[in-house]
Amino acid sequence: MALTASPDDQAQLLTVQAIDTKLQQLGHRAKNLPEIAELARLAAEAETLRQQRGNEAGNLEDARTELARIESDVAVVAARITRDRERLATSSSVKDVAGLEHEIEGLERRRGELEDIELQVMERVEQLEKSLELTTAEHADGLSRVTTVTAERDAALAALESEQQHAQANRSTLVQRLPADLMALYERQRSRYGFGASHLQGGVSGASGVRLLENELAEVRAAAPDAVLICPDSQAILVRTGESGL
């Protein structure tokens, strides 16, 4: 037996469809919030900066280790120079004096070379410290931005969820007043074809945007007001109103 429902109940399906369309849009917005994409970008940047900071910290540690070694070498050479000069001051042997003076001369050259290297390494340490400080600050700023955008995302999701709950409540109230068999057909067509109800306006199906053929319109005109019709294009329930142009 063909399904029948009052024209008023059928017209209410348009409101249900509008709510379902809104719920679908709200779900799409929730999945595609700009804050979600921004958080993904910020997370990638934060990870890059974290790795960069780790590399720079390692390079700085190596440079400081190298500097400590050179400073130790300079101290050793300086101590030997001091020792040799003390020995030179007390030596009475011409041979020993000549040997000490020659050794001191070589040690002075060596100390000069080490001090040049030490200066270079100190400059490198300073540059690495500044670079690490900058990267650390950028990383901290990025994490702060993540916190801010996360809060913005959560607020946006909460607002959308509130809209969804309100729309769902309105839908439940409306559906409870409609015949079960009518809603079952609506839900089946919507799950299969995307739309459960289509408003016929001026001979055009709202769900498909296609004008019905003349023979199709003739069948619609011939149908009883309470007959539940299916749109030939969208396969949704075809809802007739005073705007249908029949």
Side-chain angles (χ1 to χ4, degrees), residues 7 10-11 14 199-202 238-246:
Q10 292 189 51
L14 297 177
H199 190 189
L200 182 64
Q201 291 181 289
L238 191 65
V239 179
R240 294 161 287 167
T241 68
E243 302 175 11
S244 296
L246 299 175

Side-chain angles (χ1 to χ4, degrees), residues 17 24 29-30 32 34-35 41 59 61 83 87 93 106 108-109 113 139 141 155 173 180 182 184 190 223:
Q17 179 62 73
Q24 186 177 18
R29 286 169 56 190
N32 295 276
E35 290 84 358
R41 184 186 67 81
N59 292 336
E61 182 178 357
R83 183 198 62 187
R87 291 175 57 192
S93 169
E108 289 286 6
R109 284 197 303 271
E113 292 170 355
H139 185 249
D141 289 343
T173 299
L182 181 64
R190 187 170 72 91

Side-chain angles (χ1 to χ4, degrees), residues 4-246:
T4 61
S6 71
D8 286 343
D9 284 344
Q10 292 189 51
Q12 289 297 313
L13 291 179
L14 297 177
T15 302
V16 177
Q17 179 62 73
I19 293 174
D20 286 337
T21 298
K22 181 178 181 179
L23 286 170
Q24 186 177 18
Q25 292 170 343
L26 290 172
H28 178 77
R29 286 169 56 190
K31 292 179 181 178
N32 295 276
L33 286 173
E35 290 84 358
I36 294 176
E38 178 69 0
L39 282 173
R41 184 186 67 81
L42 289 172
E45 287 185 356
E47 176 59 20
T48 298
L49 288 170
R50 185 192 68 80
Q51 294 179 5
Q52 180 178 333
R53 187 181 62 174
N55 292 334
E56 290 175 350
N59 292 336
L60 177 58
E61 182 178 357
D62 291 344
R64 284 173 173 169
T65 299
E66 182 181 358
L67 179 60
R69 179 181 58 78
I70 294 173
E71 288 174 340
S72 176
D73 290 345
V74 170
V76 169
V77 172
R80 289 182 60 186
I81 290 174
T82 299
R83 183 198 62 187
D84 285 354
R85 283 178 174 169
E86 289 175 350
R87 291 175 57 192
L88 180 63
T90 59
S91 178
S92 58
S93 169
V94 175
K95 182 178 179 181
D96 289 345
V97 168
L100 287 170
E101 288 178 343
H102 179 72
E103 183 174 341
I104 291 172
E105 182 180 350
L107 289 171
E108 289 286 6
R109 284 197 303 271
R110 177 57 179 162
R111 181 166 65 175
E113 292 170 355
L114 288 172
E115 288 176 344
D116 288 342
I117 297 173
E118 181 183 23
L119 180 60
Q120 294 174 3
V121 176
M122 288 176 64
E123 291 175 348
R124 179 148 53 90
V125 167
E126 184 178 354
Q127 291 173 353
L128 288 171
E129 287 174 340
K130 290 180 179 179
S131 180
L132 178 59
E133 181 179 357
L134 179 60
T135 301
T136 300
E138 290 179 353
H139 185 249
D141 289 343
L143 293 179
S144 176
R145 180 61 181 157
V146 167
T147 300
T148 299
V149 176
T150 298
E152 293 172 352
R153 179 205 61 189
D154 292 345
L157 286 175
L160 289 173
E161 183 178 358
S162 177
E163 284 191 67
Q164 289 173 324
Q165 291 175 348
H166 181 69
Q168 191 63 56
N170 289 340
R171 186 186 195 277
S172 298
T173 299
L174 181 58
V175 166
Q176 288 173 2
R177 299 199 296 262
L178 296 176
D181 54 357
L182 181 64
M183 279 306 306
L185 177 61
Y186 170 88
E187 295 291 7
R188 184 171 71 245
Q189 300 306 102
R190 187 170 72 91
S191 65
R192 289 179 178 178
Y193 305 106
F195 286 91
S198 176
H199 190 189
L200 182 64
Q201 291 181 289
V204 177
S205 170
S208 65
V210 176
R211 180 176 180 81
L212 271 62
L213 299 176
E214 287 304 319
N215 64 312
E216 294 169 339
L217 286 172
E219 292 178 5
V220 173
R221 292 187 186 100
D226 64 350
V228 177
L229 306 179
I230 298 297
C231 172
D233 292 304
S234 67
Q235 298 303 308
I237 296 173
L238 191 65
V239 179
R240 294 161 287 167
T241 68
E243 302 175 11
S244 296
L246 299 175

